[in-house]
Amino acid sequence: MLSIRTPSSIFVRIYGGLLLVISMVALSTYLLIQVVNDHRAAEYRESMATGFFRLVAVGIERQPAGTLRDAWLEEASTLMDNKIVLVDAKSADFDSTEQITLLEGRAVVRVNVQHNYADIFSLVSAKEQLYLKARMSKVSEQQAKAMAIFLLDDLEHYQGQETQRLTQLQSYFPFPLRIVSLEKSGLEPDQRARIKRKEVVLALKEGGAARHSSIRIIAPSKMAGHVLVMGPMYLFDWMPVQLLLIISAVSLLVITSAAYFIIHPLEKKIKIVEGAARRIGGGDLGARAEVFGRDEVSQLAHAFNSMAEHIQRLIDSQRELTRAVSHELRTPVARIRFGMEMLADTDDVDSRFEQLALLDGDITELNKLIDEILTYAKLEQGIPVLDFEAVDLGHLLQKVAKETLALGVKPKVTVVLPPEGTVVEAEQRYLHRVLQNLAGNAIRYATSEIRLSAGVYDNCAYIAVEDDGAGIPEKDRERVFQPFTRLDDSRTRASGGYGLGLSIVSRIAFWFGGQIKVEESPNLGGAKFVMTWPIKQRHRNNFKLNS
C-alpha cells in the first residue's frame, strides 16, 4: 500500500507548502477569471444585442404578415449584411431560461465557438410565438450604422415625442440614447459635414485600456439642428479593475490562511517546547515537551526531552550517590577508626601487626568503593570516550575466567566458548569490566558453579553469566540495576559488594547501544545476566537503548 509521508524539513514544509498553495491559487485564479469573464462576455453580448434586435423585432411586428413583412425582412437583412428569418418556439427549441429572457424583451445569444458564429433570437410576438433569428459571425461598421437607421425608423412613428420614446427604449440598451444639438455633439468639422449629408457617423475615442475606448453612433435627426447620439459604447474589458481587486483580495486571503495553517502547528510546537523549558527552569524537572512529528521542531523537542531526562537522571543520581556514599563510607571509616584505637591501646608487636593488616584490608576496601563510585559517576555524567575495536569474545571469556579462578573462589567456573574467530566491535576495557563485574556478582551468590558464555546472532553480540544460586525474583529484576541496591533475601550485605557493579554494567550497555537483562538460568537454575549490543556500531539504531 502506497503511503505518503509528511515532509520532515521545515524548509520543505513551509516553502514547499506555500509554493504549492500559490500555484494552486494561481491556477484557481486563472480558471475563475475564465469562468467569470465567460459569464461577463455572455452578458455583454446579450446586452449589446438586446436593444438592436428589439428595434428589428418592433419593426417586423409593425408589418402585416405576408409580402410586406417578407420585403421588410429582406431589406433589413441587406441593411445588416446578415440574413434575418422568423422562427417559432418549437423550431428554436428554447429552454426555460431562454424563454424567460425572451419574454422580458431581452435577446438570447447562442455562441458556437467551434464555427465562430452566434445565433441571436428576439421576441417578435408573444401571441403568435414568433421570433426573429440572425446568425452573426462578426460586428461591422455597417451593422452599427444599421442600428442607427432602425432607431431613426422607429422614431418616425413618434414624431414630436422622440425624447419620450428614447426614454422607453433606454431599458433595452446598455448605453445612453439621446438627441442633442449639433453644436454640442462634439463632432469634428468633417463629421458635421457628413451629418448634413444625412450620413451616419461613427466616432471612435481611443483610451489607454479597453475600458477607456468607446464608440459613438451619431445620426441626423428629423429635428432641425439636432442629431441622434447612441453611446458611448465601451468595448468589453477582459480585466476590469474591480475584478482584479476582488481576485487579488481573495487570493491574498487564501494564501494568508494557508500560511497560517502551515506555520501555526510549528509555532504551537515551539511554544510547547518553550513552556517545558520554563517549567524546568522553575524547578519542575519532570516537565516534558509533548510534541509529535518528524519535522525539525519535533526533533528538537525529542532532543530537549532526552536532555531533560538525562539532567533529571543526573541530579537524581547525584542525590542518591551523595546519600549512598555517605552511608557506605561509614563502615570502612568506622573500622579504620576502631583499628587505630586498638593499635594505640596495645603494646604487643604481634597484635600491632594484626591490626595493621586489618587496617590495610579496610583501606583496600575503601579504595575499591571509591573506584566503583568514580567509575559509575563517570559513566553516568555523559558520553564517555569509547574506542571501539575488534574484540575476540573467546579470548575475553578465557581471560576473565582465569582472573576469577586466581581469586581462589570456591564455585566452579565453566566457560562456553563461541566458534573460533568470533570477533565483535566493542570497547575492550569496558567490555572486560562488564564480564568481570558479572562474574564477581555470580561468584558471591553461586552455590557450586558459574558459567560464562558469549556469541553473536542477528547483527548483535552477547555475553552471558549464569550461577546456580537462589536467583532473583522477577519483581526485583529491574531494581538490581539501580545504584546501591541490595535485595532482602540471600543477596544481602553479608554477600559483600556495594550495589554499584550491576549499575556500572547497565550504563556500559547503554553507551554500547545495547541492553542488559536478568532472567532465570535454564541450565543452572539461578540468575542469568545477558548483555547484548550491535556487532557493528552502524547497526546501533536497530536497538532500543536501555536508559
Side-chain angles (χ1 to χ4, degrees):
M1 181 178 179
L2 181 63
S3 61
I4 300 177
R5 293 187 176 182
T6 305
S8 60
S9 170
I10 291 181
F11 177 84
V12 173
R13 182 170 179 177
I14 294 178
Y15 293 97
L18 288 177
L19 179 61
L20 178 62
V21 169
I22 291 173
S23 300
M24 292 180 63
V25 168
L27 178 61
S28 301
T29 300
Y30 172 78
L31 296 176
L32 179 61
I33 289 177
Q34 293 298 315
V35 172
V36 171
N37 276 337
D38 287 345
H39 179 71
R40 290 178 58 245
E43 288 187 340
Y44 179 82
R45 287 190 293 264
E46 179 185 301
S47 64
M48 295 299 290
T50 293
F52 185 9
F53 284 89
R54 178 61 184 168
L55 293 174
V56 178
V58 170
I60 294 174
E61 189 178 15
R62 289 196 183 105
Q63 308 302 319
T67 306
L68 290 178
R69 177 175 288 182
D70 293 340
W72 196 94
L73 280 173
E74 189 68 28
E75 184 179 351
S77 298
T78 303
L79 188 62
M80 285 183 57
D81 194 24
N82 275 97
K83 183 68 174 178
I84 300 176
V85 296
L86 296 177
V87 296
D88 55 22
K90 184 177 181 180
S91 61
D93 192 22
F94 298 120
D95 58 31
S96 58
T97 302
E98 291 175 333
Q99 289 177 0
I100 294 173
T101 300
L102 291 167
L103 289 175
E104 291 175 350
R106 292 181 288 141
V108 169
V109 182
R110 293 177 178 174
V111 179
N112 190 316
V113 178
Q114 183 177 359
H115 296 93
N116 194 30
Y117 68 80
D119 287 333
I120 303 175
F121 299 86
S122 185
L123 177 64
V124 175
S125 172
K127 182 178 180 181
E128 300 178 26
Q129 289 290 295
L130 196 61
Y131 305 87
L132 69 84
K133 173 185 176 183
R135 175 165 294 183
M136 300 182 65
S137 58
K138 63 179 180 179
V139 178
S140 63
E141 181 179 349
Q142 180 177 343
Q143 292 162 350
K145 291 180 178 180
M147 180 166 55
I149 293 172
F150 284 126
L151 181 54
L152 290 173
D153 180 67
D154 182 83
L155 292 178
E156 286 185 359
H157 295 82
Y158 298 90
Q159 292 185 11
Q161 299 179 343
E162 289 87 348
T163 303
Q164 292 85 343
R165 178 56 178 170
L166 290 178
T167 303
Q168 293 175 357
L169 294 174
Q170 184 63 70
S171 61
Y172 298 102
F173 289 86
F175 46 83
L177 302 176
R178 63 190 189 280
I179 296 177
V180 299
S181 65
L182 184 60
E183 298 298 328
K184 296 181 179 180
S185 63
L187 295 176
E188 297 179 359
D190 61 325
Q191 293 174 329
R192 292 186 182 187
R194 292 169 59 189
I195 289 293
K196 291 179 180 179
R197 294 196 300 267
K198 305 300 182 180
E199 296 180 11
V200 177
V201 175
L202 268 63
L204 174 63
K205 179 182 178 182
E206 295 185 353
R211 61 179 175 272
H212 297 143
S213 300
S214 62
I215 298 174
R216 290 189 304 156
I217 303 175
I218 301 98
S221 171
K222 295 290 185 180
M223 299 173 61
H226 289 74
V227 291
L228 172 65
V229 180
M230 306 175 69
M233 308 173 198
Y234 290 98
L235 302 181
F236 182 73
D237 185 5
W238 288 95
M239 200 61 64
V241 175
Q242 296 89 339
L243 180 60
L244 282 177
L245 291 176
I246 293 173
I247 293 295
S248 299
V250 172
S251 300
L252 184 61
L253 178 62
V254 171
I255 293 174
T256 303
S257 301
Y260 172 80
F261 286 110
I262 290 173
I263 297 175
H264 179 66
L266 299 176
E267 181 185 14
K268 185 177 180 181
K269 291 180 180 180
I270 292 174
K271 288 184 177 180
I272 292 175
V273 175
E274 179 188 4
R278 291 183 181 277
R279 292 199 302 274
I280 290 178
D284 181 10
L285 298 180
R288 298 293 182 268
E290 298 296 332
V291 174
F292 305 96
R294 297 174 56 251
D295 53 61
E296 279 83 350
V297 177
S298 299
Q299 293 174 11
L300 173 64
H302 298 329
F304 174 85
N305 290 338
S306 298
M307 178 196 69
E309 289 173 5
H310 187 61
I311 291 174
Q312 185 178 23
R313 186 174 64 250
L314 285 177
I315 293 176
D316 292 342
S317 176
Q318 185 182 38
R319 290 171 180 170
E320 179 65 21
L321 195 62
T322 302
R323 183 191 64 80
V325 166
S326 63
H327 176 74
E328 294 292 337
L329 288 176
R330 288 175 183 172
T331 300
V333 169
R335 288 204 301 264
I336 291 173
R337 177 177 293 174
F338 177 75
M340 293 294 292
E341 292 175 354
M342 292 292 294
L343 190 63
D345 292 340
T346 182
D347 294 329
D348 183 64
V349 176
D350 292 336
S351 179
R352 282 178 174 270
F353 277 110
E354 183 180 351
Q355 289 298 327
L356 286 173
L358 291 174
L359 286 173
D360 184 66
D362 290 335
I363 292 173
T364 300
E365 182 180 347
L366 187 60
N367 283 334
K368 289 182 180 179
L369 174 59
I370 293 173
D371 179 63
E372 293 279 281
I373 292 172
L374 291 176
T375 301
Y376 178 77
K378 182 178 180 181
L379 290 171
E380 186 66 24
Q381 283 178 357
I383 301 176
V385 178
L386 300 177
D387 183 16
F388 288 98
E389 57 184 325
V391 177
D392 189 316
L393 289 180
H395 176 73
L396 180 63
L397 287 178
Q398 291 175 330
K399 180 179 180 181
V400 173
K402 289 180 180 179
E403 293 172 350
T404 305
L405 290 172
L407 298 175
V409 297
K410 293 181 180 180
K412 174 185 175 183
V413 179
T414 303
V415 178
V416 180
L417 293 174
E420 186 176 354
T422 302
V423 177
V424 298
E425 285 188 5
E427 217 283 1
Q428 173 83 28
R429 177 167 53 96
Y430 282 119
L431 187 59
H432 179 272
R433 182 63 177 270
V434 168
L435 197 54
Q436 194 176 54
N437 282 14
L438 293 178
N441 185 74
I443 286 294
R444 281 194 293 272
Y445 305 115
T447 302
S448 60
E449 181 184 0
I450 70 169
R451 179 177 296 183
L452 311 181
S453 60
V456 297
Y457 68 93
D458 294 338
N459 291 326
C460 74
Y462 73 91
I463 56 174
V465 178
E466 307 170 60
D467 65 61
D468 61 352
I472 300 176
E474 188 172 352
K475 63 183 179 64
D476 295 323
R477 289 176 182 175
E478 292 293 332
R479 197 160 61 90
V480 295
F481 297 107
Q482 297 175 4
F484 301 104
T485 297
R486 294 185 179 89
L487 304 182
D488 295 331
D489 51 15
S490 62
R491 297 174 179 263
T492 61
R493 185 183 300 273
S495 301
Y498 308 103
L500 282 175
L502 294 180
S503 298
I504 292 173
V505 170
S506 176
R507 298 315 299 164
I508 293 175
F510 173 75
W511 295 124
F512 272 35
Q515 57 186 0
I516 179 74
K517 64 179 180 178
V518 60
E519 57 191 29
E520 183 180 349
S521 171
N523 301 308
L524 303 181
K528 179 180 180 180
F529 288 84
V530 182
M531 172 181 158
T532 58
W533 74 98
I535 298 176
K536 302 290 185 181
Q537 287 305 302
R538 64 173 176 268
H539 296 309
R540 289 183 64 168
N541 291 335
N542 297 332
F543 290 82
K544 180 180 179 182
L545 299 184
N546 179 21
S547 59

